[in-house]
């Protein structure tokens, strides 16, 4: 039986400047950070197999980020 390795991490991805807020009919710009935005990653390896799961506090994930993640492997 292969050894199972598990690791996880959580980091803030909160913008450090004011940004336009999604989900409105008119443009609204953030005034302050109410709750930090985080991403949590869980990595599992066993032998030659590996898996990474990421959870992001986002409404959506842009196609450019998806492409970056795919090409990073």
């Amino acid at each position: 039986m292969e050894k199972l390795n598990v690791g996880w991490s959580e980091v803030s991805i909160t913008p450090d400047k004011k940004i336009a807020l999604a989900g409105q009919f008119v443009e609204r710009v953030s005034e302050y950070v109410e709750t930090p935005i985080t991403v949590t990653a869980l990595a599992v390896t066993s032998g030659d197999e590996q898996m990474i799961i990421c959870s992001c506090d986002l409404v959506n994930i842009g196609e450019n980020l998806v492409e970056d993640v795919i090409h990073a492997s």
Side-chain angles (χ1 to χ4, degrees), residues 10-27:
E10 179 180 76
V11 295
S12 174
I13 56 171
T14 307
D16 58 355
K17 60 183 177 181
K18 294 182 178 188
I19 61 165
L21 301 171
Q24 304 293 317
F25 291 109
V26 296
E27 183 176 66

Side-chain angles (χ1 to χ4, degrees), residues 52-65:
I52 299 174
I53 299 173
C54 293
S55 172
C56 304
D57 292 340
L58 301 172
V59 174
N60 69 355
I61 296 176
E63 192 172 320
N64 58 335
L65 178 56

Side-chain angles (χ1 to χ4, degrees), residues 33-50:
V33 175
E34 182 176 302
T35 306
I37 302 169
T38 60
V39 61
T40 304
L42 170 70
V44 181
T45 63
S46 179
D48 292 337
E49 296 188 40
Q50 60 185 4

